[in-house]
Amino acid sequence: MATLFLMVGLPGAGKTTEARRLAGRHRAVRLSPDEWMIPLFDGLEADGKRDVLEGRLLTIGLEALRAGADVVVDFGCWGRDERTAIRWLAQSAGGACRMVYLPVDSDTQRARIAHRWATMPHETLPMTEDDILDGHAHFEEPDAAELGGRILDAPPPAWADWHAWAAWRWPSFAWQVP
Ligand SMILES: Nc1ncnc2c1ncn2[C@@H]1O[C@H](COP(=O)(O)OP(=O)(O)OP(=O)(O)O)[C@@H](O)[C@H]1O
Ligand SMILES: [Mg+2]
Protein backbone atom coordinates (compact mmCIF):
# COMPACT_ATOMS: atom_id res chain seq x y z
CA MET A 1 0.00 0.00 0.00
CA ALA A 2 1.33 3.45 -0.88
CA THR A 3 1.94 5.83 2.02
CA LEU A 4 1.22 9.52 2.43
CA PHE A 5 3.71 11.00 4.89
CA LEU A 6 2.10 13.99 6.61
CA MET A 7 4.66 16.45 7.99
CA VAL A 8 3.54 18.35 11.11
CA GLY A 9 5.34 21.03 13.08
CA LEU A 10 6.08 24.68 13.67
CA PRO A 11 8.18 26.83 11.29
CA GLY A 12 11.84 25.83 11.49
CA ALA A 13 11.08 22.49 13.15
CA GLY A 14 12.87 20.68 10.33
CA LYS A 15 9.89 19.44 8.28
CA THR A 16 11.28 20.15 4.83
CA THR A 17 14.68 18.74 5.78
CA GLU A 18 13.03 15.51 6.96
CA ALA A 19 10.61 15.54 3.99
CA ARG A 20 13.62 15.53 1.62
CA ARG A 21 15.13 12.61 3.50
CA LEU A 22 11.88 10.63 3.42
CA ALA A 23 11.39 11.37 -0.29
CA GLY A 24 14.87 10.07 -1.04
CA ARG A 25 14.46 7.01 1.09
CA HIS A 26 11.00 6.02 -0.18
CA ARG A 27 11.30 7.48 -3.68
CA ALA A 28 8.27 9.58 -2.79
CA VAL A 29 6.75 12.63 -4.47
CA ARG A 30 7.46 15.60 -2.18
CA LEU A 31 4.99 18.49 -2.03
CA SER A 32 6.55 21.52 -0.28
CA PRO A 33 4.49 24.67 -1.01
CA ASP A 34 7.26 27.16 -0.17
CA GLU A 35 9.21 25.88 -3.17
CA TRP A 36 6.24 26.91 -5.35
CA MET A 37 5.30 30.14 -3.54
CA ILE A 38 8.76 31.62 -4.02
CA PRO A 39 9.13 31.20 -7.83
CA LEU A 40 5.43 31.76 -8.60
CA PHE A 41 4.58 34.68 -6.31
CA ASP A 42 7.90 35.88 -4.83
CA GLY A 43 6.66 34.18 -1.68
CA LEU A 44 3.91 36.77 -1.17
CA GLU A 45 1.04 35.28 0.78
CA ALA A 46 -1.71 37.80 -0.07
CA ASP A 47 -5.17 36.82 -1.41
CA GLY A 48 -5.13 33.27 -0.12
CA LYS A 49 -2.63 32.16 -2.76
CA ARG A 50 -1.13 29.57 -0.47
CA ASP A 51 -4.50 27.90 0.13
CA VAL A 52 -5.13 27.71 -3.61
CA LEU A 53 -1.66 26.34 -4.25
CA GLU A 54 -1.99 23.74 -1.49
CA GLY A 55 -5.35 22.59 -2.92
CA ARG A 56 -3.73 21.80 -6.26
CA LEU A 57 -0.75 20.11 -4.58
CA LEU A 58 -3.07 17.98 -2.46
CA THR A 59 -5.08 17.01 -5.55
CA ILE A 60 -1.99 15.83 -7.42
CA GLY A 61 -0.63 14.17 -4.29
CA LEU A 62 -3.78 12.05 -3.89
CA GLU A 63 -3.72 11.13 -7.57
CA ALA A 64 -0.12 10.00 -7.18
CA LEU A 65 -1.02 8.04 -4.04
CA ARG A 66 -3.87 6.33 -5.84
CA ALA A 67 -1.47 5.45 -8.65
CA GLY A 68 0.75 3.71 -6.09
CA ALA A 69 3.41 6.34 -5.35
CA ASP A 70 4.44 7.37 -1.85
CA VAL A 71 3.85 11.07 -1.23
CA VAL A 72 5.20 13.56 1.32
CA VAL A 73 2.81 16.41 2.17
CA ASP A 74 4.94 19.19 3.68
CA PHE A 75 2.28 21.84 4.46
CA GLY A 76 2.93 22.20 8.19
CA CYS A 77 -0.63 21.23 9.13
CA TRP A 78 -1.05 23.15 12.38
CA GLY A 79 -4.74 22.30 12.64
CA ARG A 80 -6.16 18.98 13.75
CA ASP A 81 -8.98 19.31 11.19
CA GLU A 82 -6.43 19.73 8.38
CA ARG A 83 -4.63 16.60 9.48
CA THR A 84 -7.82 14.57 9.90
CA ALA A 85 -9.05 15.64 6.45
CA ILE A 86 -5.79 14.57 4.82
CA ARG A 87 -5.76 11.25 6.68
CA TRP A 88 -9.33 10.58 5.57
CA LEU A 89 -8.50 11.53 1.98
CA ALA A 90 -5.43 9.29 1.95
CA GLN A 91 -7.61 6.39 3.09
CA SER A 92 -10.17 7.20 0.38
CA ALA A 93 -7.37 7.09 -2.17
CA GLY A 94 -6.51 3.57 -1.04
CA GLY A 95 -3.33 4.62 0.74
CA ALA A 96 -1.96 4.63 4.25
CA CYS A 97 -1.14 7.81 6.16
CA ARG A 98 1.83 8.25 8.47
CA MET A 99 2.00 11.41 10.49
CA VAL A 100 5.52 12.72 11.07
CA TYR A 101 5.44 15.23 13.93
CA LEU A 102 8.65 17.13 14.64
CA PRO A 103 8.42 18.90 18.02
CA VAL A 104 10.81 21.78 18.58
CA ASP A 105 11.49 24.04 21.58
CA SER A 106 11.43 27.82 21.07
CA ASP A 107 15.19 28.40 21.33
CA THR A 108 16.01 25.65 18.85
CA GLN A 109 13.29 26.89 16.54
CA ARG A 110 14.65 30.45 16.48
CA ALA A 111 18.23 29.19 16.00
CA ARG A 112 17.18 27.01 13.05
CA ILE A 113 15.21 29.82 11.40
CA ALA A 114 18.25 32.11 11.74
CA HIS A 115 20.55 29.40 10.41
CA ARG A 116 18.33 28.82 7.40
CA TRP A 117 18.15 32.53 6.58
CA ALA A 118 21.94 32.75 6.81
CA THR A 119 22.63 29.69 4.67
CA MET A 120 19.68 29.37 2.21
CA PRO A 121 18.04 32.80 1.72
CA HIS A 122 16.96 31.99 -1.86
CA GLU A 123 14.92 28.99 -0.60
CA THR A 124 13.54 30.79 2.42
CA LEU A 125 10.54 32.98 3.15
CA PRO A 126 11.43 35.75 5.60
CA MET A 127 10.05 35.05 9.05
CA THR A 128 9.38 37.63 11.71
CA GLU A 129 9.05 37.26 15.48
CA ASP A 130 5.29 37.84 15.00
CA ASP A 131 5.16 34.86 12.62
CA ILE A 132 6.86 32.70 15.25
CA LEU A 133 4.47 33.84 17.99
CA ASP A 134 1.49 33.32 15.68
CA GLY A 135 2.62 29.71 15.26
CA HIS A 136 2.85 29.20 19.01
CA ALA A 137 -0.65 30.68 19.46
CA HIS A 138 -2.36 28.62 16.76
CA PHE A 139 -0.52 25.31 16.50
CA GLU A 140 -2.68 22.40 17.69
CA GLU A 141 -0.18 19.85 18.87
CA PRO A 142 -1.16 16.29 17.91
CA ASP A 143 -1.77 14.04 20.90
CA ALA A 144 -0.70 10.41 21.22
CA ALA A 145 -4.00 9.04 19.90
CA GLU A 146 -3.82 11.22 16.81
CA LEU A 147 -0.18 10.34 16.18
CA GLY A 148 -1.03 6.67 16.54
CA GLY A 149 -3.73 7.05 13.89
CA ARG A 150 -6.24 5.42 16.20
CA ILE A 151 -9.00 7.99 15.83
CA LEU A 152 -10.58 9.74 12.91
CA ASP A 153 -12.88 12.55 14.10
CA ALA A 154 -16.11 13.38 12.29
CA PRO A 155 -15.94 16.62 10.28
CA PRO A 156 -17.37 19.82 11.83
CA PRO A 157 -21.21 19.80 11.65
CA ALA A 158 -21.50 22.15 8.65
CA TRP A 159 -19.73 19.68 6.36
CA ALA A 160 -21.09 16.35 5.11
CA ASP A 161 -17.68 14.69 5.02
CA TRP A 162 -13.97 15.51 5.07
CA HIS A 163 -13.91 15.76 1.30
CA ALA A 164 -16.35 18.69 1.47
CA TRP A 165 -14.34 20.24 4.31
CA ALA A 166 -11.12 19.98 2.27
CA ALA A 167 -12.77 21.69 -0.71
CA TRP A 168 -13.70 24.56 1.62
CA ARG A 169 -10.26 24.75 3.30
CA TRP A 170 -8.27 24.48 0.04
CA PRO A 171 -10.43 26.22 -2.62
CA SER A 172 -8.73 24.63 -5.65
CA PHE A 173 -8.96 21.11 -4.27
CA ALA A 174 -10.59 19.01 -6.99
CA TRP A 175 -9.87 15.37 -6.37
CA GLN A 176 -12.96 13.13 -6.36
CA VAL A 177 -13.35 10.28 -3.94
CA PRO A 178 -13.41 7.16 -6.16
N1 LIG B 1 17.46 17.89 13.00
C1 LIG B 1 18.05 19.06 12.73
N2 LIG B 1 19.14 19.45 13.43
C2 LIG B 1 19.72 20.64 13.18
N3 LIG B 1 19.29 21.52 12.23
C3 LIG B 1 18.21 21.17 11.51
C4 LIG B 1 17.54 19.93 11.73
N4 LIG B 1 16.49 19.87 10.86
C5 LIG B 1 16.53 21.00 10.15
N5 LIG B 1 17.56 21.78 10.53
C6 LIG B 1 17.91 23.10 10.00
O1 LIG B 1 16.91 24.01 10.49
C7 LIG B 1 16.52 24.94 9.49
C8 LIG B 1 15.02 24.81 9.29
O2 LIG B 1 14.71 23.52 8.76
P1 LIG B 1 13.52 23.31 7.72
O3 LIG B 1 13.57 24.33 6.65
O4 LIG B 1 13.55 21.87 7.34
O5 LIG B 1 12.25 23.60 8.67
P2 LIG B 1 10.69 23.60 8.32
O6 LIG B 1 10.01 22.87 9.41
O7 LIG B 1 10.49 23.07 6.94
O8 LIG B 1 10.27 25.12 8.40
P3 LIG B 1 9.07 25.90 7.64
O9 LIG B 1 7.80 25.54 8.34
O10 LIG B 1 9.41 27.34 7.84
O11 LIG B 1 9.08 25.49 6.20
C9 LIG B 1 17.34 24.61 8.24
O12 LIG B 1 18.45 25.51 8.21
C10 LIG B 1 17.80 23.18 8.48
O13 LIG B 1 19.05 22.93 7.86
MG1 LIG C 1 9.60 23.89 5.23
Short mmCIF file of all heavy atoms in Angstrom, two decimals, residues 11-12 14-17 32 34 74 116, ligand 2:
data_model
loop_
_atom_site.label_atom_id
_atom_site.label_comp_id
_atom_site.label_asym_id
_atom_site.label_seq_id
_atom_site.Cartn_x
_atom_site.Cartn_y
_atom_site.Cartn_z
N PRO A 11 7.14 26.36 12.20
CA PRO A 11 8.18 26.83 11.29
C PRO A 11 9.57 26.56 11.88
O PRO A 11 9.79 26.74 13.08
CB PRO A 11 7.94 28.35 11.21
CG PRO A 11 6.51 28.53 11.57
CD PRO A 11 6.18 27.43 12.54
N GLY A 12 10.47 26.08 11.05
CA GLY A 12 11.84 25.83 11.49
C GLY A 12 12.02 24.53 12.25
O GLY A 12 13.13 24.21 12.68
N GLY A 14 12.06 21.63 11.11
CA GLY A 14 12.87 20.68 10.33
C GLY A 14 12.03 19.82 9.40
O GLY A 14 12.51 18.79 8.90
N LYS A 15 10.80 20.25 9.10
CA LYS A 15 9.89 19.44 8.28
C LYS A 15 10.42 19.21 6.86
O LYS A 15 10.43 18.09 6.36
CB LYS A 15 8.51 20.11 8.19
CG LYS A 15 7.78 20.24 9.51
CD LYS A 15 6.46 20.94 9.33
CE LYS A 15 6.57 22.34 8.79
NZ LYS A 15 7.26 23.29 9.68
N THR A 16 10.85 20.29 6.22
CA THR A 16 11.28 20.15 4.83
C THR A 16 12.58 19.34 4.74
O THR A 16 12.76 18.53 3.83
CB THR A 16 11.43 21.54 4.17
OG1 THR A 16 10.16 22.20 4.25
CG2 THR A 16 11.85 21.43 2.72
N THR A 17 13.44 19.53 5.72
CA THR A 17 14.68 18.74 5.78
C THR A 17 14.34 17.25 5.88
O THR A 17 14.89 16.42 5.14
CB THR A 17 15.52 19.18 7.00
OG1 THR A 17 15.72 20.60 6.91
CG2 THR A 17 16.86 18.47 7.05
N SER A 32 6.17 20.47 -1.23
CA SER A 32 6.55 21.52 -0.28
C SER A 32 6.13 22.86 -0.87
O SER A 32 6.78 23.37 -1.78
CB SER A 32 8.07 21.51 -0.06
OG SER A 32 8.50 20.28 0.52
N ASP A 34 6.34 26.01 -0.11
CA ASP A 34 7.26 27.16 -0.17
C ASP A 34 8.07 27.15 -1.46
O ASP A 34 8.39 28.20 -2.01
CB ASP A 34 8.24 27.15 1.02
CG ASP A 34 7.56 27.57 2.32
OD1 ASP A 34 6.38 27.97 2.26
OD2 ASP A 34 8.20 27.47 3.37
N ASP A 74 4.11 18.36 2.80
CA ASP A 74 4.94 19.19 3.68
C ASP A 74 4.30 20.57 3.85
O ASP A 74 4.89 21.59 3.52
CB ASP A 74 6.35 19.29 3.04
CG ASP A 74 7.33 20.13 3.83
OD1 ASP A 74 7.12 20.31 5.05
OD2 ASP A 74 8.29 20.62 3.21
N ARG A 116 18.83 28.99 8.77
CA ARG A 116 18.33 28.82 7.40
C ARG A 116 18.43 30.13 6.62
O ARG A 116 18.82 30.14 5.45
CB ARG A 116 16.87 28.36 7.46
CG ARG A 116 16.27 28.12 6.10
CD ARG A 116 14.89 27.52 6.20
NE ARG A 116 13.99 28.34 6.99
CZ ARG A 116 12.75 27.99 7.31
NH1 ARG A 116 12.29 26.81 6.95
NH2 ARG A 116 11.98 28.79 8.01
MG MG B 2 9.60 23.89 5.23
#
